[in-house]
Amino acid sequence: MAVAGTASSDDAALLAGMEGASLGGGSRWMRPVELVAASLLAFIIALLLTGVFSRYVLAKPVIWIDEVASISFLWLAMLGAAMAVDRSEHLRLTLFVNLLPERLRGFASTLALVLMAVFLASLLMPAIDYAYEEAYVTSAALNIPMSWRASALPFGIGLMLLLALVNAVKGSRSAELAGSIVFAGIVGGLFWLGMPAIKTLGNWNIVVFLVGFVAFFLVIGVPIAFCFGLGTLAFLTFATNVPVFVMIGRMDEGMSAIILLSVPIFVLLGCVLDATGMGRAIVEFLASLLGHVKAGMSYVLLGSLFLVSGISGSKVSDMATVAPALFPEMKRRGHKPREMIALLATGAAMADTVPPSIVLIVLGSAAGVSIAGLFTSGFAIAMVLLAVLAVLARWKARGEAMEGVRRAPLSLIGKTLLVAAPALVLPFLIRSAVGGGVATATEVSTIAVLYAMAIGALLYGGLRPGRIYAMLVETAALSGAILLILGTASAMAWALTQTGFAFQLVSAVQALPGGWLTFMGVTILIFLVLGCVLEGLPAIVLMAPIMFPIARSLGINDIHYSMVVVTAMNIGLMTPPIGIGFYIACKIGNVSPDEAMRAIWPYIGALMVGLLAIAAVPFFSTAFL
């Protein structure tokens, strides 16, 4: 998932309005950790491929593979999260911090590091206790203590704490560091003294801690994972009698579900796609096929995003693959840069329902929805959105300059098709294998990586061993950042449900006039806003446990509701002035956000038309199930 080059390096820095301070790599003394994390990722892929081979070829399943993969996965997640701290690649919102005067900006950055350290220090002893308690539980297949697995939590938390402290001391002025510590201490002390009064506030504590605190942390640039963690920690500490120990269990549960194993592997697949040039081959084939018609390059851009997304699972990788290949020719034909950026951003939003979308995998895990059903429906929903954007693109291109444009000869079309065919097969292979129940998303992801690397080596120039290692390291760091968000968001969602707030919300929504259609409108509004601020994964993990039970109580199909949620969230992600995906598109296309902002609204409007149709007509989501 990259702006240029490595497919995962810049996602961690950019995917939430976010800055990555050290995208070139981590500290030298973290090299052993990087080596272990890269080795773990390679080991997991080899292990899963062995499981696939033994199950489907030899018809002799190896029962301990899932256990070993689960143990390795939690260690990978925690080591990757620590690497992301070292590289400043945890996702954070920097839009508001960058508006502050320089002196206040430095204080905010230091305060963010201090707050991260406070959170990690508060969790360290409970994590050690959790690992100790897990020693009394033995695994079913290997019959070993589960502390082998759970020890990853205190180790990773301790390493992140050390890194946060080092970064705070090295990167801050003494006055800023002292002021941040004093500020955090005074605020914490005041809330500690006010605990008796705070506990009498009831559900208003949700507004104070799980909304107010989290919003404040976001604004000052605390990474999103730690925003959720700090808000939940403060809520449990000051407003309840629940021990922090419970939070560790919820985080473990949220970040280590076996279906989430496919997340780092699909991230790695995006790396392979970008590095081998498979995505560019798809773009060149579509350009030879459609480039001669009016609005043809717009159709190629949209079609490329649709197909490339089916391989990479990453919006940033999609945009970075497609834009450089098409923008020069689109400019020559008279397309304005701001219009191209608008189409690029909204096209990426459209394509995020195309499997293997990481968002769909996380949603299936968080809400208990069939991954196969989501993959099947995602294609149809993307086609609806593709159609509305294509209609608008054709209308916008009515004055396109077509002088000198000629239809590509059949020989060129055949040649580009021959080169692109192995890449074109991959998204349909993924969808049909998962949708048809032939294999799980995790199994398919490992097969897809092996396929992409083999095809890349045979047809697209292959990959140097050093490049493969770099991709494994970057994938581990980005996956750790993603999975830590899922863990802390799961803990926050659990805290919300324990207050009884969810039941009150169900009653309130069911009493609204208009029934399920009104609820769909509320859902669209909520996820548009959350998509702007939080990006997809944390918004889904946070809200799915609350919203999906309400949808089911109103008779809404899970797949139908999932498509509305994901589409609304993606539109929010690309909607200025806060939508962070919009700024990523501007950076990729080297266009001023102020200029592009004026052009994007008709495209956002087209997506909204498609979203309303998807919400009102369940057929679009369920016809092919």
Side-chain angles (χ1 to χ4, degrees), residues 295-303 326 330 335 343 393-394 397 400:
M297 298 308 291
S298 297
Y299 298 154
V300 171
L301 188 149
L302 292 172
L326 297 180
M330 293 180 76
H335 288 262
L343 188 61
R394 177 61 183 85
E400 183 177 1

Side-chain angles (χ1 to χ4, degrees), residues 373-437:
L374 291 173
F375 276 21
T376 300
S377 182
F379 261 103
I381 293 305
M383 289 298 294
V384 173
L385 300 174
L386 177 67
V388 295
L389 287 175
V391 169
L392 177 61
R394 177 61 183 85
W395 183 78
K396 287 273 189 179
R398 61 194 184 280
E400 183 177 1
M402 301 296 291
E403 295 82 6
V405 177
R406 297 288 182 269
R407 182 193 296 268
L410 287 177
S411 59
L412 178 61
I413 295 174
K415 180 181 177 181
T416 56
L417 174 60
L418 189 64
V419 174
L424 285 167
V425 166
L426 192 51
F428 298 99
L429 176 68
I430 292 169
R431 191 212 69 81
S432 58
V434 177

